Amino acid sequence: MNRSDQSFVSFLRRQLRLTGFLLILVSALPGGLLAGTTGKIAGKATDRTTGEALIGVNIIVEGLALGAATNENGNYTILNLAPGVYTVRASYVGYRDLIIRQVRVSVDQTTRLDISMEDVGVEVEGIVVEASRPLVQKDVTGTQSVVSASSIEELPVQNFYDVLQLQAGVIGSGRTLHVRGGRGNEVAYLVDGVYVVDPSIGGNATNVSNDAIEELNFMTGTFNAEFGNAMSGVVNIVTREGSEKFTGGFEVKTSEFGVDDFSDQHQNYVSVFTGGPIIPGQLTYYLTGTVENNGSYLPFGWDKNRNVLGKLTWKPATTLKTNWSARWSDERYKGYNHLYFLIPERYQQTESSSLQYVGSLTHTLSPTLFYEIRASLFTRDYNRGPDLPDDDILTQGNFFPSSGQTFYERANSLEEESNQLQTTNLRGDVFWQITPTNEIKAGAEARFHRIDYDYTYWSSKTDPETNTYLKYPQEYSAYVQDKIEYDYLIINLGLRFDYFDSQSFLRSQPFNASTGKEGKPKYQLSPRVAIAHPVSDQTVLRFAYGRFIQNPEYRYFFENVSYNLGMRNLVFTDPELDAQRTTAYEVGVVHQVSDFLVASVTGYYKDITGLLGSRFYQMGTFPGQSSAYNLTINEAWANVKGVELKLDMKPVMNLSGSATYTYSVARGSSSSVSESRDPYKTQQIYYLDFDKPHVFNATMTWVPPDVAGPDWGGVQPLNDWRTTLVFRGGSGYPYTPQKRDGGLVAKNSARMPATWQLDAVVSKYIDLDPFRVELFAEITNLTNRKNVLYVYPDTGDPDETFVGNLDPALMKDPSNYAAPRLVRLGLSVTF
């Protein structure tokens, strides 16, 4: 065992003792939610004629061993419900049984289900009704979007990132999303209550297929104390479980159907799933797999994804439930660089594979008290660089063409990056519904990381620059939260404790080896307060405040950790590097305009401090300093303010839809960590690179009414159609114009052209009992609009520049524009 592994074993023993203490402490606390993976049903049972409360009414969720009896005030609460749609049965001696279908439960929300029962004196056949979800959810105290599996199926989206981009306050593309003016790494991603963010290099570290998602809950701006290590938003994905009924199906879609403009992009997707009981009433399974191969509208580039999820749910007793899941994801993609037009095989590519095991135990101690223990192991293997043998790598001297500004004739990326991550996660949560109006939540979590990182810069064949380390940072957190629910007031009070230790050893003076010291562990208490005031059944006022922190990616703690002073660009890290912090406020109003339309207005403000930035130091700034260098420190800041408007329309006249408009201003001192600046100009502020003042998104679904027409063996070609349109538009990104005389201009003082895009999906359903067949066409960029992604700073034009004496073919870079129209045809079959 080497010294690094010995230190890890010693560290692990210490931390396990601390973790055990935290879990014991949490178990002693009165409550805690299951890390945002369950919801509840609550309401009141009354006599339909007199309105009097009924005591002892049995409320049962069919298909589950869950239920409750009403108390002396007629109130009841059913806890620990996974997100989904349920059927609820109410029974009471002398009253007609009431069966309520289509009762939707969402994560962290209370589904209000009041029951009015009919006194018939003798037992008779029950009645069946369909629940109507209220347009105004009164217990939602912060901005969040809940997207169900059925909603995802109706949208022309490839993955959950596309779903997130349709929400208010979100801009960006692909895997990088900016939420309410935050940087692209300020969003936390959870799958089944477990964080899946790479703590070393940042960003979401895995992929989840649409078929695996039961519900996606997206929280922006402010969120409860149970969520941490995020400053802009939380994406909480709950995957599906098997039911007591066998289900299955498959879906295929492709752009390769003989039309060159679409077939050239080589878009292909296949997904299969199955689920059902293994031991009825006790053991169920769910299994899904996806293969996705996407080409590019550009001369080269591709994106290939593979995803598999398997989940077992075992209920050995009415008070016990266990979930065991394994999820594998493999992503490989190559982008486009116009300089490599003639040699695409030599351009870099990225490979990322992840594997996650999760086991959880839920134990219900009473109808109002339960706890959950969860353990998970997450591994990720990430590699970026040219897919070439080392003896074929070209160094910097051979990198550029010998003459002229034209395409590369022979080149490759000089950077190679590899990161092997292993995270062990232990979590305990408890939940106590003290009274029908008061629920307490508490929880604690420990995360142990093993980061094996290797970076190479091919400055020479014989002695390339490298940065390699094996580190074991760790993080701990605990929270307590109280949710108070009255008809006229809902209050969420929370307090969160975060602690992290980077296990770093850094120099306070980079050129003085005797100044090394261990990085001190950092911690913070973060209060959260959110209030919702239902003014009436149709109107709710909301206010939320919170402090949020996010640990820096660990790669910044270990930049040039060997202090190699001969590297081309010297970058060091402040040994006192701390967490980044955001203080956020929001206030809003939600109003039901009519029986089918609800509108909301939300204003927000964010003060962001301690962002990572790079401060440049000239050679000789300090005694003994022999070179210029950059120092990564908590020196950048930003502030964001904005207003979000949202409309949601339930189906009426065969139409349904939603629309969001966001006005925001994001200004700060730095858009990214790597921006270097003179030490005397650190207080300059400007529009951040990802600032978009105006963003508008809208979806509309039209289901035409059934009409008389031909009937071909039970298939009616004129009926069961659905059309969904999705519109996205917004201001252009800012850029810094370049004067031809070389004069200085304000940073990001000009803007690229506005962009907009219209997508559509048209589908036809065919019922062939027991199968349901869907034929569909997905069309992105229906109007084939040329949206500009980049302009040359000297001309403001995407196709022309006078700088660099570029070859005309090199000047016209197709990646300066977004993707053209694409059509995919598909078929899905479910049972």
Side-chain angles (χ1 to χ4, degrees):
M1 182 181 294
N2 60 40
R3 187 175 64 180
S4 179
D5 286 339
Q6 288 175 342
S7 65
F8 172 67
V9 171
S10 176
F11 147 75
L12 185 59
R13 288 172 179 167
R14 296 194 308 271
Q15 305 312 324
L16 285 176
R17 288 195 293 267
L18 177 58
T19 302
F21 170 75
L22 289 173
L23 292 178
I24 293 171
L25 175 63
V26 170
S27 299
L29 291 172
L33 186 67
L34 299 189
T37 61
T38 64
K40 66 181 181 181
I41 298 175
K44 185 175 185 178
T46 58
D47 185 290
R48 178 176 298 179
T49 304
T50 66
E52 294 181 354
L54 299 178
I55 304 172
V57 177
N58 290 316
I59 316 293
I60 302 296
V61 179
E62 292 193 346
L64 302 176
L66 291 173
T70 58
N71 64 11
E72 65 275 8
N73 297 314
N75 296 315
Y76 75 95
T77 302
I78 304 175
L79 308 176
N80 196 19
L81 291 169
V85 178
Y86 297 95
T87 296
V88 176
R89 176 186 291 270
S91 60
Y92 195 49
V93 175
Y95 285 76
R96 189 191 303 272
D97 283 3
L98 183 63
I99 301 172
I100 308 162
R101 294 176 176 170
Q102 298 298 310
V103 180
R104 171 160 288 282
V105 174
S106 294
V107 168
D108 285 357
Q109 292 185 13
T110 301
T111 297
R112 186 74 185 181
L113 188 64
D114 291 326
I115 295 173
S116 179
M117 303 194 71
E118 182 180 355
D119 182 357
V120 294
V122 294
E123 186 174 336
V124 297
E125 184 179 354
I127 60 173
V128 179
V129 298
E130 187 168 304
S132 177
R133 188 173 179 85
L135 287 174
V136 178
Q137 188 71 21
K138 296 179 181 179
D139 69 320
V140 175
T141 53
T143 301
Q144 61 177 282
S145 301
V146 179
V147 186
S148 64
S150 58
S151 297
I152 295 175
E153 291 172 359
E154 296 173 2
L155 295 171
V157 295
Q158 288 285 85
N159 50 54
F160 71 87
Y161 291 105
D162 295 337
V163 177
L164 298 176
Q165 291 173 42
L166 297 176
Q167 312 308 316
V170 180
I171 63 172
S173 60
R175 297 167 175 83
T176 302
L177 301 180
H178 301 274
V179 178
R180 286 189 173 179
R183 290 181 177 179
N185 62 345
E186 293 183 6
V187 178
Y189 295 87
L190 293 88
V191 177
D192 289 335
V194 177
Y195 286 85
V196 290
V197 173
D198 191 321
S200 177
I201 60 179
N204 181 31
T206 190
N207 196 10
V208 183
S209 66
N210 291 347
D211 277 345
I213 298 175
E214 176 61 43
E215 182 175 277
L216 184 153
N217 194 326
F218 183 37
M219 292 157 277
T220 59
T222 59
F223 33 89
N224 290 342
E226 61 189 295
F227 300 105
N229 205 23
M231 297 194 298
S232 290
V234 174
V235 178
N236 187 18
I237 295 174
V238 179
T239 59
R240 295 183 178 182
E241 295 181 2
S243 66
E244 291 299 321
K245 178 182 178 182
F246 280 108
T247 60
F250 68 89
E251 178 179 308
V252 296
K253 54 186 173 184
T254 180
S255 68
E256 298 184 298
F257 51 86
V259 179
D260 291 343
D261 288 345
F262 309 135
S263 297
D264 291 346
Q265 295 193 35
H266 307 292
Q267 304 267 323
N268 294 286
Y269 175 94
V270 178
S271 177
V272 297
F273 75 92
T274 179
I278 298 177
I279 303 176
Q282 289 193 27
L283 183 63
T284 63
Y285 78 96
Y286 186 82
L287 179 65
T288 181
T290 300
V291 176
E292 185 177 6
N293 294 328
N294 295 323
S296 175
Y297 69 98
L298 299 167
F300 68 83
W302 41 261
D303 190 343
K304 302 177 181 180
N305 298 306
R306 311 287 187 272
N307 298 285
V308 176
L309 167 70
K311 181 183 283 190
L312 290 175
T313 302
W314 183 37
K315 302 173 184 176
T318 58
T319 58
L320 287 177
K321 175 183 176 182
T322 63
N323 264 321
W324 305 92
S325 66
R327 192 170 49 80
W328 173 75
S329 172
D330 183 80
E331 302 175 85
R332 302 174 184 230
Y333 49 92
K334 174 179 285 192
Y336 180 77
N337 187 319
H338 197 42
L339 291 169
Y340 287 80
F341 178 77
L342 300 177
I343 50 170
E345 70 281 356
R346 299 188 68 86
Y347 186 57
Q348 70 173 13
Q349 66 186 51
T350 301
E351 300 178 358
S352 174
S353 62
S354 65
L355 184 61
Q356 181 186 41
Y357 301 99
V358 180
S360 66
L361 169 67
T362 304
H363 184 196
T364 301
L365 301 176
S366 74
T368 59
L369 177 65
F370 67 93
Y371 69 89
E372 181 178 76
I373 298 173
R374 179 185 288 112
S376 71
L377 175 66
F378 180 80
T379 64
R380 187 196 193 192
D381 187 358
Y382 174 90
N383 295 279
R384 176 180 64 88
D387 186 21
L388 301 169
D390 288 354
D391 58 4
D392 194 22
I393 295 289
L394 303 178
T395 61
Q396 192 169 14
N398 308 107
F399 189 57
F400 295 98
S402 57
S403 63
Q405 294 295 310
T406 184
F407 299 107
Y408 289 156
E409 298 170 354
R410 186 167 172 79
N412 55 257
S413 169
L414 299 182
E415 293 184 312
E416 286 187 286
E417 184 180 30
S418 173
N419 185 55
Q420 279 74 48
L421 167 71
Q422 178 177 298
T423 297
T424 302
N425 185 294
L426 302 173
R427 179 165 184 141
D429 297 89
V430 289
F431 182 109
W432 187 16
Q433 187 79 42
I434 302 176
T435 70
T437 60
N438 193 3
E439 68 178 37
I440 300 291
K441 315 172 184 180
E445 184 174 15
R447 291 198 290 270
F448 308 106
H449 306 295
R450 182 185 187 276
I451 300 172
D452 188 355
Y453 183 84
D454 186 9
Y455 173 85
T456 301
Y457 183 85
W458 289 95
S459 55
S460 73
K461 284 276 192 178
T462 57
D463 188 24
E465 299 175 12
T466 62
N467 186 33
T468 302
Y469 53 83
L470 177 62
K471 298 293 182 179
Y472 300 93
Q474 71 275 357
E475 303 164 17
Y476 299 92
S477 62
Y479 74 92
V480 61
Q481 190 165 299
D482 189 4
K483 183 178 182 181
I484 304 168
E485 297 181 86
Y486 294 104
D487 292 338
Y488 57 89
L489 187 67
I490 294 91
I491 303 175
N492 266 312
L493 300 174
L495 183 65
R496 182 178 180 86
F497 171 78
D498 285 285
Y499 172 102
F500 79 96
D501 185 354
S502 64
Q503 298 284 296
S504 60
F505 186 86
L506 301 170
R507 299 178 186 176
S508 56
Q509 299 178 27
F511 292 84
N512 187 343
S514 65
T515 63
K517 61 179 182 178
E518 291 186 3
K520 295 180 180 179
K522 303 297 191 301
Y523 62 88
Q524 175 173 300
L525 289 172
S526 302
R528 315 278 172 86
V529 179
I531 299 172
H533 172 42
V535 179
S536 67
D537 290 340
Q538 288 78 37
T539 305
V540 176
L541 302 179
R542 298 187 319 203
F543 168 79
Y545 157 83
R547 296 191 66 188
F548 308 89
I549 73 162
Q550 184 168 342
N551 303 330
E553 288 89 346
Y554 288 115
R555 60 174 168 166
Y556 296 115
F557 286 95
F558 310 119
E559 285 184 305
N560 196 6
V561 71
S562 61
Y563 287 90
N564 180 356
L565 303 182
M567 298 184 71
R568 73 197 189 288
N569 291 321
L570 287 177
V571 180
F572 304 108
T573 298
D574 181 1
E576 297 302 323
L577 201 64
D578 201 353
Q580 305 161 107
R581 292 171 168 81
T582 291
T583 302
Y585 307 83
E586 74 170 47
V587 60
V589 58
V590 183
H591 177 64
Q592 183 173 329
V593 180
S594 68
D595 291 339
F596 58 86
L597 185 65
V598 63
S600 65
V601 181
T602 303
Y604 61 87
Y605 177 81
K606 295 168 59 177
D607 182 47
I608 310 169
T609 59
L611 288 170
L612 296 194
S614 296
R615 181 173 292 178
F616 178 74
Y617 289 93
Q618 297 282 1
M619 183 174 61
T621 303
F622 303 106
Q625 180 184 335
S626 57
S627 303
Y629 70 93
N630 283 286
L631 184 69
T632 301
I633 59 176
N634 295 103
E635 63 93 25
W637 57 274
N639 59 66
V640 186
K641 53 189 175 183
V643 177
E644 295 172 354
L645 308 178
K646 185 175 182 180
L647 292 174
D648 283 304
M649 185 176 72
K650 292 179 66 175
V652 60
M653 300 292 291
N654 304 105
L655 286 174
S656 62
S658 65
T660 65
Y661 166 74
T662 303
Y663 171 76
S664 67
V665 178
R667 292 168 61 86
S669 62
S670 175
S671 296
S672 66
V673 181
S674 59
E675 285 190 15
S676 299
R677 57 175 64 81
D678 188 294
Y680 301 103
K681 296 181 180 179
T682 58
Q683 298 304 312
Q684 289 185 341
I685 63 172
Y686 59 90
Y687 292 107
L688 299 176
D689 292 348
F690 38 84
D691 174 68
K692 273 194 172 188
H694 306 281
V695 177
F696 178 78
N697 297 315
T699 64
M700 185 189 72
T701 298
W702 178 53
V703 181
D706 290 343
V707 297
D711 188 324
W712 301 335
V715 177
Q716 297 177 293
L718 300 182
N719 292 328
D720 298 318
W721 287 86
R722 180 189 300 271
T723 300
T724 298
L725 298 177
V726 176
F727 179 88
R728 290 176 284 180
S731 307
Y733 289 110
Y735 72 96
T736 304
Q738 180 179 344
K739 288 186 176 181
R740 297 186 185 182
D741 60 5
L744 296 176
V745 296
K747 185 174 177 62
N748 283 352
S749 56
R751 274 193 193 276
M752 301 181 201
T755 61
W756 63 268
Q757 178 173 312
L758 181 65
D759 303 333
V761 57
V762 181
S763 58
K764 161 67 178 174
Y765 296 94
I766 304 173
D767 283 324
L768 301 175
D769 190 37
F771 299 102
R772 189 172 192 250
V773 180
E774 179 187 4
L775 304 171
F776 61 90
E778 293 180 351
I779 310 168
T780 58
N781 197 3
L782 182 65
T783 64
N784 206 29
R785 176 175 168 80
K786 295 185 68 174
N787 286 308
V788 175
L789 300 179
Y790 175 81
V791 298
Y792 293 104
D794 63 319
T795 62
D797 188 279
D799 296 318
E800 186 177 26
T801 178
F802 299 104
V803 175
N805 191 29
L806 299 183
D807 180 279
L810 181 62
M811 189 184 306
K812 295 188 179 299
D813 186 343
S815 65
N816 291 347
Y817 294 92
R821 182 191 298 120
L822 174 68
V823 178
R824 291 184 291 263
L825 302 182
L827 165 71
S828 73
V829 178
T830 58
F831 64 88

